[in-house]
Amino acid sequence: DAGVTQSPTHLIKTRGQHVTLRCSPISGHKSVSWYQQVLGQGPQFIFQYYEKEERGRGNFPDRFSARQFPNYSSELNVNALLLGDSALYLCASSLTWTESSYEQYFGPGTRLTVT
Amino acid sequence: QKEVEQNSGPLSVPEGAIASLNCTYSDRGSQSFFWYRQYSGKSPELIMSIYSNGDKEDGRFTAQLNKASQYVSLLIRDSQPSDSATYLCAVKAGGYNKLIFGAGTRLAVHP
């Protein structure tokens, strides 16, 4: 079975631009979470979606937004890019969002560089 | 105080030895705990999940949880050079739908 897929793999953008990152979860998984990882740190939670509804939000500015589609795939959008947005953006899928089945499986990530 | 703390390492162990990785967390409401392995330039890979106090074994890996002490550990038996990676401890925030990660411990297994 295919794992979590993300596109694009790498992206270079200029300050002030907008970016859209895409994620498809593991077949059968209905929850998608987004994380930002900068070098030397652990992933930092941005959003979680389940059944197209936002179930969790991290401490990120409103420039960050996301949505989930009926097929459970998801998009992360970042507006007005800043140099500090340069990072590895990770998508993770899980069966549900309940306590007992919270194992999250990560995709390969999208490396975003803002110049 | 950081929410999830790990020693950054590097932790250097000889091949065949037991590697012991530790993690402490601050949220007493947390009930779900995870260990991920991340190779340089790659994404995190789930190794173990643990929900109850005590030990959980899977192959060469053993996760240990002590909620009273707010402490989670990962033991890797018969360490191999291929185990050399950064190990991330993750805790599900109590009452919130998010994982909180530590900064990770770098493990180096030398032949």
Side-chain angles (χ1 to χ4, degrees):
Chain A
D1 285 343
V4 180
T5 60
Q6 291 186 247
S7 63
T9 305
H10 295 88
L11 204 51
I12 299 175
K13 290 286 190 176
T14 303
R15 277 178 299 173
Q17 286 188 318
H18 158 271
V19 68
T20 298
L21 309 181
R22 295 178 174 85
C23 170
S24 291
I26 293 170
S27 177
H29 284 195
K30 297 183 178 181
S31 180
V32 169
S33 298
W34 287 95
Y35 294 83
Q36 180 196 67
Q37 187 177 25
V38 298
L39 197 62
Q41 297 183 20
Q44 188 171 3
F45 174 76
I46 309 175
F47 288 110
Q48 182 182 31
Y49 277 79
Y50 177 74
E51 293 280 11
K52 297 181 291 180
E53 289 192 20
E54 183 183 298
R55 301 291 183 171
R57 173 185 284 257
N59 294 325
F60 279 80
D62 291 344
R63 300 185 295 109
F64 289 77
S65 64
R67 54 180 176 166
Q68 187 178 33
F69 299 100
N71 66 353
Y72 305 112
S73 67
S74 178
E75 283 182 355
L76 175 69
N77 294 283
V78 187
N79 294 323
L81 285 167
L82 303 173
L83 294 178
D85 294 331
S86 296
L88 179 66
Y89 287 85
L90 295 161
C91 173
S93 80
S94 55
L95 273 171
T96 69
W97 59 291
T98 57
E99 192 77 43
S100 60
S101 58
Y102 210 76
E103 285 85 359
Q104 296 194 358
Y105 300 88
F106 284 92
T110 294
R111 174 73 61 187
L112 173 64
T113 302
V114 182
T115 63
Chain B
Q1 180 189 10
K2 292 181 181 178
E3 293 176 280
V4 178
E5 294 206 52
Q6 298 181 254
N7 188 320
S8 62
L11 173 66
S12 183
V13 300
E15 184 174 357
I18 296 175
S20 178
L21 304 160
N22 305 314
C23 170
T24 58
Y25 62 95
S26 60
D27 182 358
R28 285 195 171 276
S30 296
Q31 300 294 323
S32 306
F33 307 87
F34 308 89
W35 283 98
Y36 287 84
R37 176 175 62 197
Q38 187 171 27
Y39 292 111
S40 180
K42 301 294 185 181
S43 62
E45 172 192 7
L46 180 65
I47 301 174
M48 297 277 289
S49 60
I50 186 166
Y51 301 95
S52 303
N53 280 329
D55 295 359
K56 179 182 179 183
E57 187 175 318
D58 184 359
R60 295 188 295 114
F61 299 98
T62 298
Q64 299 175 316
L65 174 61
N66 184 325
K67 291 182 183 178
S69 300
Q70 296 175 250
Y71 178 90
V72 193
S73 66
L74 180 70
L75 301 178
I76 306 175
R77 290 182 299 281
D78 188 24
S79 294
Q80 300 297 309
S82 59
D83 294 325
S84 298
T86 295
Y87 288 80
L88 298 163
C89 172
V91 176
K92 183 181 180 297
Y96 294 93
N97 295 316
K98 65 176 182 179
L99 285 183
I100 301 171
F101 283 81
T105 298
R106 278 193 300 130
L107 172 67
V109 182
H110 53 87

